[in-house]
Amino acid sequence: MSRAKVVLAYSGGLDTSVAIPWLREEKGLDVVAMTVDVGQPVDLETVRQKALASGAVAAYVADAKREFADEFVAPALRANVLYEGVYPLSTALARPLIGRHMVAVARQEGASFVAHGCTGKGNDQVRFDLSTTGLAPDLRVIAPAREWKMTREEEVAYAARHGIPVEATKKSPYSTDENLWGRSVECGILEDPAIEPPEEVYGWTTSPLAAPEAPAYVTVAFEEGRPVGLDGRPLPFHQLIEQLNRTAGSQGVGRIDHLESRVVGIKSREVYECPAATVLLEAHRALEALVLPRDVLDFKRSVEQRYANLVYDGLWFSPLRAALDGFVGPTQTRVSGDVSVKLFKGKATVVGRRSPHSLYQTALATYSTGDTFRPEMSEGFIYVWGLPARTWAAVEGKDAAATARPPIAPS
Ligand code: ARG
């Protein structure tokens, strides 16, 4: 009788490589490896061979950069998501996509289990578990690193016993995760939140101190809230992100030092590099400010915060996200136009915006000739608008006579 199968989200690193023989020996399962390219520095064929060499019965790879950008990053950008006001959710957004691929392979292979390499302390376990079972509630999730009690040294020895190639290079003290939307760094000296991150933790960004003495400018073209071009050239979104990561990263833009609140209740210190995300979020917000009315902007901010928490918490595949997208969608129909951003010494500053749907009317805003606004109308507006405030003050009886007086001089 053939053995039951498990689809393992496979990165090619030590943990997920050790998980292959571990799942076979401890759980009696045949392991099907699944590797998804979301823009991390990975050679898919090398990873595939390593999975097979580690004992996987099959190894799937998928280039999902376009899918990640279009179906996960774009909706998040339209919702301006920033967890706790600072983190563009790069890692968090990739997890449901990987989960969806795991489920697809599980269906194809007739697997009844899925597995991932996350530990029991982080957010990613929550996201993998919820996105796989949220799509396929019949699948059971196994997290080997949540169960085994191996230290890193024991894992290396386990790998050696099972003929798994372990890179001889000295392991960095940092734990990193990368995709198109950003790079995260944890561990090592970063675990002391009182200490400034050393320069060595950064991989994508030039130090703002060493950045060029002259600013760079980029112009992002948006259509319905989605970036569609850079500096006058149309680009698929995933390529636009890659290019902007390089341009903004070389100007030192996108470094984030976050004292973060994890889903599991732990506070952790996270360093991120998100150059393209930083620029695009600034640019998108600036365009919205130009084309959306005040009340929509104001209400949308509360939706954005809820959206960010939901993504962070692993609830991408949920009725709430569908409902929030139902709100965000119609707000984006006029978010088209161009935004110019100045990149200089670590800062991204919006310096220009234009849109065919601009609500900015020079004839109303100007203080020069051509002003069509009727300032005399303001007095009556303020009289009515201020009525509750004056009534409130009046009933305190502080100056009843004064508050009873109409503020407008009788004509
Ligand atoms: N703290 C971030 C998040 O929860 C980054 C996690 C990075 N994950 C990792 N496996 N290194 O989204």
Side-chain angles (χ1 to χ4, degrees), residues 87 91-92 95 123-124 127 175-177 184 186 260 270 272 312:
Y87 166 39
T91 294
R95 299 320 193 191
N123 300 312
D124 288 325
R127 299 169 186 150
S175 158
T176 60
D177 181 64
S184 81
E186 304 164 81
E260 183 169 309
E270 309 273 335
Y272 299 102
Y312 190 83

Side-chain angles (χ1 to χ4, degrees), residues 3 10 14-27 31 49-56 148 150 153-166:
R3 296 167 4 134
Y10 183 69
L14 180 66
D15 291 340
T16 52
S17 294
V18 165
I20 295 175
W22 189 90
L23 284 163
R24 190 181 57 231
E25 290 176 5
E26 303 297 323
K27 304 288 176 182
V31 180
Q49 291 305 332
K50 186 169 179 186
L52 296 171
S54 303
W148 70 41
M150 286 191 273
E153 290 67 32
E154 287 163 351
E155 273 187 65
V156 171
Y158 189 98
R161 277 204 305 283
H162 291 82
I164 294 168
V166 179

